[in-house]
Amino acid sequence: MAKKVFPNGFLWGGATAANQCEGAYNEDGRGLSSVDVVPYGEERMRVNRGERKMLSCEPGFQYPAHEAIDFYHHYAEDIRLFAEMGFKCYRMSIAWTRILPNGDDDVPNEKGIQFYRSVFDECRKYGIEPLVTIDHFDTPIALIERYGGWRDRRMIDAYIKYCRVIFKEFGGLVKYWITFNEINMLLHMSFMGAGIYFEPGEDKDEIKYTAAHHELVASARAVKLAHEMMPGSKIGCMLAAGQFYPYSCDPADIWDGLEKDRDNYFFIDVQARGAYPVWAKKRMERAGVTLPLAEGDAETLREGTVDFVAFSYYCSRCTTADPVLFEKNARPGNAVFKAVVNPHLKSTEWGWQIDPLGLRVTVNTLYDRYQKPLFVVENGLGAVDKLEADGTVHDQYRIEYMRAHLEALRDAVCEDGIPVIGFTSWGCIDLVSASSGEMKKRYGMIYVDKDDKGGGTLARYRKDSFYWYQNVIRTNGEEL
Ligand code: BGP
């Protein structure tokens, strides 16, 4: 029997985001960004959803992004550890306000440019291919104050101005780009995804779909610009994926699942195919939403289709058309996507259901729909780890989670023949959780000594999963 391995040149690696790892939030000329004012604790989700306005750091709150794991000062050490694991690729994001502190400055911040150049040089030193997210939950506060975030069309020009700078500065060092992290998240976490907070009485749907349209136009323009300024570059979109399974075979549940999936695929349909799907207009009509289509937008979307489809996958979702059942079986906790508990699956400590086969389902579904190369740019297990006195961390549960998901991905590649460019595990080094702001929800294969209250030495330690993943990469996924 033929050996099951990943294709030659498969981009194995890990993923982080600037706001969740860099820290140094006010150093070297960096401007304030949306993520800097999202606090730890009970108010976090309300701020993330745009339900509570918080545009500055208020007394009495703790802001985890301010220091995070201080990647800003530890990047050389961290990239050395990535190289030791054998990474071929490192997914990271650029903090918009490190480059343009007010979001659209005419003169970029030289120190910000220097920092990322050093990071990319360090990657290149070890033969690691950077994969850069242009905007990972990161809207400059100055633009939120001026425009109210992505609800305003002027955000598009500011974003393109920022793209122009980073493409010019880093085009020679970076080949792979992603326009927006988890673009569909803006429907659920509007401040996190689009710098939007809602005033009482505002039509939330109208604002969200308007912001979505602006991000989609910005994404299409960025794709076109990347191809012009950096010939040979590859630029993709990014979906928070995970299919909605119907709770039962009742046709009403099947329809409900299809409708809920469309809320997410809608974005990628535009980015990968270049136009709104036919049903989208009808849906918006029903919701009383008029899209702010300006002259030339349709053409821009058509001309700015992506080279690949990237996505995060943590779990599948489950739904029913029966409102009573939905209420009764609702997923516990602060779930971003409203869903019911799937009785066939176990859950993580944070209530995320574990479904490795769902990754194979997702890969197949996305390829059937888009026929573009795929890139798994986030997957991993958030869990509480224990650092032993001798500096070891025995995270067998994480190894099991990753093994099962990589087996499913390998089946999608080897058995189903789906073209997948690479796999970057989320939070390859422990970092701040986006939804909860916790440090104790750890994803890393590298442990960082930092706690939820902001204490800790910031020292780095290799977990058991570090050595396991090192072998996975060494054998190109033959030994999982
Ligand atoms: C995705 C985000 C990441 C990351 C991950 C894990 O939604 O793109 O930024 O944080 O989820 O989620 P969390 O940190 O909430 O556990």
Side-chain angles (χ1 to χ4, degrees):
M1 213 174 82
K3 280 198 290 188
K4 279 214 229 171
V5 288
F6 285 78
N8 281 339
F10 190 74
L11 292 177
W12 291 103
T16 63
N19 74 82
Q20 289 166 265
C21 73
E22 278 180 14
Y25 84 110
N26 57 3
E27 270 182 56
D28 291 337
R30 182 183 177 282
L32 204 63
S33 178
S34 51
V35 285
D36 302 326
V37 299
V38 181
Y40 173 75
E42 282 188 359
E43 284 303 279
R44 186 174 182 89
M45 277 309 247
R46 289 204 332 117
V47 175
N48 265 337
R49 289 201 178 103
E51 290 162 3
R52 175 180 171 157
K53 180 179 173 184
M54 198 184 267
L55 294 190
S56 58
C57 304
E58 296 181 11
F61 288 98
Q62 185 197 330
Y63 295 95
H66 290 194
E67 185 187 55
I69 58 158
D70 196 28
F71 177 80
Y72 192 72
H73 297 110
H74 289 73
Y75 72 89
E77 175 188 354
D78 293 344
I79 294 169
R80 189 164 61 242
L81 285 165
F82 299 159
E84 193 184 320
M85 257 190 283
F87 279 19
K88 314 280 181 231
C89 176
Y90 170 43
R91 174 180 177 229
M92 48 167 283
S93 73
I94 294 180
W96 185 335
T97 55
R98 231 182 252 299
I99 304 295
L100 304 180
N102 297 295
D104 60 353
D105 311 61
D106 289 332
V107 182
N109 175 29
E110 195 45 45
K111 291 217 166 119
I113 291 172
Q114 292 261 314
F115 170 66
Y116 291 109
R117 191 167 291 133
S118 309
V119 169
F120 299 139
D121 281 343
E122 205 62 21
C123 287
R124 292 267 167 230
K125 188 166 111 187
Y126 299 107
I128 297 174
E129 187 79 48
L131 162 62
V132 173
T133 315
I134 297 169
D135 182 342
H136 192 128
F137 300 155
D138 199 346
T139 314
I141 286 288
L143 297 181
I144 299 178
E145 279 169 345
R146 240 182 297 155
Y147 302 146
W150 280 92
R151 66 170 76 205
D152 193 302
R153 196 176 171 92
R154 285 170 290 184
M155 284 298 294
I156 302 173
D157 283 339
Y159 177 87
I160 293 300
K161 193 167 189 183
Y162 160 52
C163 286
R164 213 176 272 286
V165 176
I166 57 176
F167 292 169
K168 174 173 164 275
E169 296 293 340
F170 309 129
L173 292 164
V174 179
K175 178 177 169 196
Y176 290 94
W177 301 84
I178 288 171
T179 55
F180 288 92
N181 181 60
E182 294 187 334
I183 190 163
N184 50 322
M185 199 58 96
L186 80 82
L187 295 184
H188 310 273
M189 310 266 262
S190 303
F191 188 73
M192 191 165 94
I196 288 169
Y197 56 88
F198 302 100
E199 300 289 0
E202 279 189 331
D203 181 342
K204 288 191 183 174
D205 277 342
E206 178 96 43
I207 293 168
K208 286 181 193 176
Y209 283 103
T210 299
H213 179 68
H214 294 151
E215 287 198 1
L216 290 168
V217 172
S219 173
R221 282 183 56 188
V223 169
K224 222 177 147 194
L225 189 67
H227 291 155
E228 278 161 21
M229 291 181 68
M230 306 178 292
S233 62
K234 299 282 175 207
I235 179 158
C237 55
M238 203 288 206
L239 170 77
Q243 194 151 329
F244 271 99
Y245 298 159
Y247 190 76
S248 77
C249 52
D250 179 344
D253 281 359
I254 311 285
W255 179 251
D256 194 57
L258 185 145
E259 283 276 87
K260 295 223 165 89
D261 274 338
R262 281 180 166 177
D263 279 344
N264 299 309
Y265 292 143
F266 154 85
F267 291 87
I268 310 303
D269 288 350
V270 177
Q271 290 175 296
R273 297 165 167 168
Y276 282 93
V278 283
W279 44 264
K281 288 189 196 112
K282 294 281 175 199
R283 272 185 156 205
M284 290 193 201
E285 263 169 43
R286 282 198 296 274
V289 173
T290 319
L291 262 197
L293 266 174
E295 216 194 309
D297 280 2
E299 197 185 357
T300 303
L301 295 178
R302 205 169 45 242
E303 290 175 352
T305 53
V306 290
D307 300 315
F308 62 91
V309 173
F311 66 92
S312 61
Y313 175 82
Y314 294 92
C315 47
S316 54
R317 299 150 192 160
C318 188
T319 188
T320 170
D322 177 345
V324 179
L325 197 66
F326 199 99
E327 194 61 35
K328 201 171 112 217
N329 286 3
R331 260 178 57 176
N334 235 344
V336 174
F337 293 89
K338 297 280 167 248
V340 295
V341 173
N342 182 335
H344 301 285
L345 302 174
K346 293 200 177 108
S347 296
T348 72
E349 290 160 277
W350 275 265
W352 295 23
Q353 293 206 280
I354 303 173
D355 179 13
L357 186 54
L359 175 57
R360 186 173 178 183
V361 172
T362 299
V363 168
N364 276 271
T365 306
L366 289 175
Y367 192 67
D368 281 350
R369 201 170 175 115
Y370 302 119
Q371 304 282 307
K372 302 228 179 202
L374 304 177
F375 207 143
V376 187
V377 297
E378 283 186 34
N379 172 247
L381 176 69
V384 176
D385 291 330
K386 185 165 175 278
L387 178 67
E388 305 291 345
D390 62 358
T392 56
V393 177
H394 304 304
D395 58 343
Q396 191 56 32
Y397 37 90
R398 181 167 295 106
I399 294 174
E400 275 157 27
Y401 177 101
M402 291 185 71
R403 176 184 293 132
H405 284 78
L406 284 173
E407 273 169 2
L409 183 64
R410 196 172 61 182
D411 284 343
V413 170
C414 297
E415 304 288 330
D416 309 327
I418 311 288
V420 181
I421 303 171
F423 174 89
T424 56
S425 83
W426 174 252
C428 45
I429 181 165
D430 291 347
L431 37 64
V432 176
S433 156
S435 56
S436 74
E438 291 162 314
M439 270 307 299
K440 76 163 190 275
K441 189 182 187 189
R442 296 174 182 277
Y443 285 88
M445 291 167 286
I446 300 165
Y447 184 95
V448 179
D449 180 20
K450 173 97 196 259
D451 61 36
D452 285 349
K453 298 260 169 340
T457 62
L458 293 172
R460 274 72 167 148
Y461 300 89
R462 296 165 185 82
K463 302 183 193 178
D464 288 354
S465 55
F466 181 102
Y467 301 103
W468 172 81
Y469 197 47
Q470 189 180 50
N471 190 53
V472 169
I473 299 177
R474 193 185 57 76
T475 62
N476 200 19
E478 188 187 351
E479 288 175 26
L480 294 179

